[in-house]
Amino acid sequence: MKYASDVVERAINEFSKLPGIGRKTAQRHVFFLLKSTDDEIDELVRVLKDLKEKVRHCSLCFNLTEVDPCPLCSNPERDRSMICVVEEPNDVVAVEKTGEFKGLYHCLGGVLSPLDGVGPDDLHIKELLARLDEQTTEVIIATNPNTEGEATALYLARLIKPLGIKISRIARGLPVGADLEYADEITLSRAFEGRISL
Ligand code: ZN
């Protein structure tokens, strides 16, 4: 069904492009917005513009940030001897919620996936190796517990182990195939405590 208003149609089309949003849900969002106040719409427009203009990747850890280096990298209270390697900025949020880890992070920007054409050069692996120095005593790999996540962990272990740095993998408690982002805090805390050396 098409609406008499071209603008309504265009809005529904735009919302339908968002992940997990079908046409039905997009219609509901558009009708909700039609009933919103001018202030609410202005704020929505502003935040969308700010997302594009102000948010970027930290040049050290590749987390999302508005200042470079990000607040985590520049926080003097963080333990600089440990680096937790994750796939995406969402995973930093998940690990931070556990309160279990006080070190620094490194976002790879994905995982090795030969079938999708993702190789080592497509991830922030070179930048990770460049960050490792005499301060670094342990690298904890917290990629998701699926085939690509495991393959990436083993690849990194082969690169980092010869440098004499302890390398471990979060383990126990996370079901295979699960996403770190959706793991509950207690499970993820246990996975950190029970990390195993690679
Ligand atoms: Zn950072």
Side-chain angles (χ1 to χ4, degrees):
M1 179 190 124
K2 285 229 174 217
Y3 289 94
S5 160
D6 190 40
V7 177
V8 170
E9 273 300 327
R10 273 167 55 210
I12 292 169
N13 276 340
E14 288 310 308
F15 278 93
S16 306
K17 291 177 186 168
L18 297 171
I21 308 285
R23 190 172 161 89
K24 265 255 158 65
T25 311
Q27 284 172 343
R28 278 175 47 213
H29 289 170
V30 169
F31 288 124
F32 173 83
L33 290 175
L34 281 170
K35 290 182 203 147
S36 302
T37 64
D38 286 354
D39 283 351
E40 285 167 337
I41 296 290
D42 285 347
E43 174 55 14
L44 184 63
V45 171
R46 230 180 347 256
V47 82
L48 289 176
K49 276 209 127 356
D50 283 353
L51 260 184
K52 210 56 204 159
E53 282 164 16
K54 296 185 178 167
V55 181
R56 59 203 129 141
H57 290 282
C58 171
S59 59
L60 293 174
C61 72
F62 297 92
N63 194 4
L64 292 175
T65 182
E66 289 170 39
V67 285
D68 193 17
C70 75
L72 279 163
C73 284
S74 53
N75 182 349
E77 317 245 289
R78 304 292 302 201
D79 178 356
R80 265 146 224 286
S81 69
M82 289 174 125
I83 296 178
C84 176
V85 177
V86 294
E87 294 179 20
E88 302 288 352
N90 292 342
D91 301 321
V92 173
V93 178
V95 175
E96 275 299 284
K97 269 206 298 204
T98 69
E100 193 65 39
F101 180 70
K102 303 286 181 227
L104 301 176
Y105 291 92
H106 192 86
C107 301
L108 291 173
V111 271
L112 294 175
S113 179
L115 290 177
D116 300 316
V118 183
D121 291 341
D122 301 307
L123 304 175
H124 302 299
I125 292 177
K126 267 197 304 285
E127 293 90 341
L128 170 66
L129 297 177
R131 286 179 72 190
L132 305 177
D133 57 21
E134 58 282 351
Q135 271 192 304
T136 322
T137 56
E138 183 174 359
V139 173
I140 303 169
I141 314 284
T143 47
N144 288 319
N146 51 34
T147 317
E148 289 87 3
E150 296 304 337
T152 308
L154 289 175
Y155 180 84
L156 292 174
R158 271 204 301 272
L159 287 178
I160 295 170
K161 230 178 174 175
L163 306 174
I165 294 168
K166 185 182 173 198
I167 181 150
S168 56
R169 173 93 177 102
I170 59 160
R172 205 174 53 190
L174 281 179
V176 171
D179 239 38
L180 223 63
E181 201 188 328
Y182 302 116
D184 68 89
E185 286 151 46
I186 296 168
T187 306
L188 196 49
S189 289
R190 290 213 185 112
F192 260 83
E193 283 165 23
R195 64 185 184 270
I196 45 165
S197 287
L198 287 174

